[in-house]
Amino acid sequence: MTIFEQRKQSYKKRADLAQNLAAQKLFQLMEEKETNLTSADDLTDPEQFLEIADKVGPEICVLKTHIDILENFTPRIIDELVRLSEKHNFLIFEDRKFADIGNTVKMQYEKGVYRIVEWAHLTNAHAVPGPGVIEGLFEVAKEKIDKGIPRGCLLLAQMSSSGTLATEDYTKKTVEMAKEYTNFVCGFIGVGSNPQELKKLAGISGPEFILMTPGVKLEAGGDSLKQTYATPKDAMEAGSDSIIVGRGIYQADDPQKAAQEYRKLAWEAYLERIK
């Protein structure tokens, strides 16, 4: 059985294969809640940010944040975000894209205003700096993981923007690096907008890894900033485990209804895949 075929197993079965606590938790959550939708909450007003999280919370498995774009940040925002994640049963993914030497990312993850390791179940990193970026982050997360608190890192193996430098060789080396740190690296960010390239990534990353994909909208196309999009069905058929949707939800007239629609399409595509 090829790696791509192995990835067609149910989330429940793949939870048993995962070596990272956050990956296990997410596979289980998706199976139990029957959703593989990640909502990207990119609103900059704190009240609107939390309002969207509350509205879409029942429909999602993960809420993806860019905490540093929030205006007038206070720790109360994090307290409320954590409360909503517990209320609606979703994981929090801080899309920090760490990309520095190990000692620097350690401080960025643990300290400063945001103290990301304290509340984000998932974060991510570029592979460009080499394994030191993973080792630095893991050094911070290890204490929580040892206590059974899920913490995991997704590596950016591909990017959905046109002209990206994350080409096929980079993707292969990123996957090879991840396999050396399976207690902390829980998966990859791939390109939902390019099913052909996404399928290549799914074909080399084992079933223990979660593959999350931005670049997904109800209709394929692109925007003025060279972001390209594919449909939920296209992304899931190409190997995505969780589609990431931002503006298609939070800019909709009815964000909750939009989330319900994306959830339905992505879940149906998953069920079709595991038949």
Side-chain angles (χ1 to χ4, degrees):
M1 185 185 293
T2 65
I3 292 176
F4 190 81
E5 292 298 317
Q6 291 174 43
R7 294 182 58 83
K8 292 184 178 181
Q9 298 177 82
S10 69
Y11 296 142
K12 183 178 181 180
K13 290 181 179 177
R14 289 174 62 192
D16 294 333
L17 301 175
Q19 298 173 49
N20 169 265
L21 283 174
Q24 294 169 9
K25 174 74 173 176
L26 182 51
F27 278 131
Q28 292 164 357
L29 190 158
M30 290 191 292
E31 185 76 26
E32 293 166 6
K33 196 174 177 181
E34 297 188 352
T35 177
N36 47 15
L37 173 63
T38 292
S39 177
D41 190 346
D42 294 337
L43 295 171
T44 60
D45 177 87
E47 296 308 316
Q48 293 177 355
F49 167 81
L50 292 170
E51 182 181 0
I52 285 289
D54 198 17
K55 284 182 177 179
V56 306
E59 313 302 330
I60 64 176
C61 59
V62 175
L63 187 81
K64 185 176 79 70
T65 62
H66 285 294
I67 205 67
D68 56 359
I69 69 173
L70 284 173
E71 298 167 345
N72 303 315
F73 174 84
T74 68
R76 182 197 69 82
I77 298 169
I78 297 301
D79 293 341
E80 182 63 13
L81 180 60
V82 170
R83 186 189 71 80
L84 290 173
S85 78
E86 294 170 350
K87 173 185 175 183
H88 296 303
N89 190 25
F90 61 77
L91 300 189
I92 304 169
F93 166 23
E94 168 53 22
D95 188 0
R96 178 60 178 75
K97 296 186 178 74
F98 292 101
D100 215 316
I101 62 172
N103 190 60
T104 300
V105 299
K106 271 178 59 178
M107 294 187 288
Q108 291 172 328
Y109 191 28
E110 181 181 21
K111 300 187 182 298
V113 177
Y114 304 115
R115 299 183 180 272
I116 295 166
V117 73
E118 295 299 326
W119 50 271
H121 305 93
L122 303 168
T123 192
N124 57 355
H126 287 286
V128 171
V133 68
I134 302 172
E135 292 169 3
L137 295 171
F138 178 63
E139 193 171 315
V140 174
K142 185 178 184 302
E143 182 179 351
K144 292 192 179 296
I145 293 172
D146 288 345
K147 292 178 179 177
I149 301 171
R151 292 293 182 267
C153 180
L154 297 149
L155 294 183
L156 284 102
Q158 299 172 325
M159 292 192 73
S160 56
S161 52
S162 297
T164 176
L165 300 182
T167 54
E168 191 169 344
D169 186 55
Y170 176 87
T171 298
K172 289 179 180 178
K173 289 179 179 178
T174 299
V175 172
E176 290 170 5
M177 189 186 303
K179 290 178 179 178
E180 299 297 318
Y181 299 93
T182 52
N183 55 347
F184 184 52
V185 176
C186 59
F188 305 99
I189 302 295
V191 285
S193 58
N194 189 330
Q196 187 174 2
E197 290 301 309
L198 180 60
K199 193 168 184 178
K200 291 178 183 178
L201 172 58
I204 60 175
S205 56
E208 68 273 21
F209 290 115
I210 288 172
L211 185 49
M212 301 181 73
T213 51
V216 177
K217 278 194 171 182
L218 295 177
E219 296 181 4
D223 67 14
S224 61
L225 295 177
K226 293 183 170 55
Q227 166 76 312
T228 51
Y229 297 96
T231 66
K233 183 178 180 181
D234 290 340
M236 293 302 298
E237 287 180 346
S240 175
D241 294 311
S242 177
I243 61 167
I244 301 173
V245 183
R247 284 170 282 181
I249 292 176
Y250 68 77
Q251 288 185 347
D253 292 335
D254 186 338
Q256 186 174 22
K257 184 177 179 181
Q260 289 170 346
E261 187 169 5
Y262 278 103
R263 175 185 184 176
K264 179 176 183 292
L265 291 171
W267 190 254
E268 287 175 349
Y270 160 70
L271 294 178
E272 185 67 28
R273 186 174 80 188
I274 64 172
K275 278 185 179 179

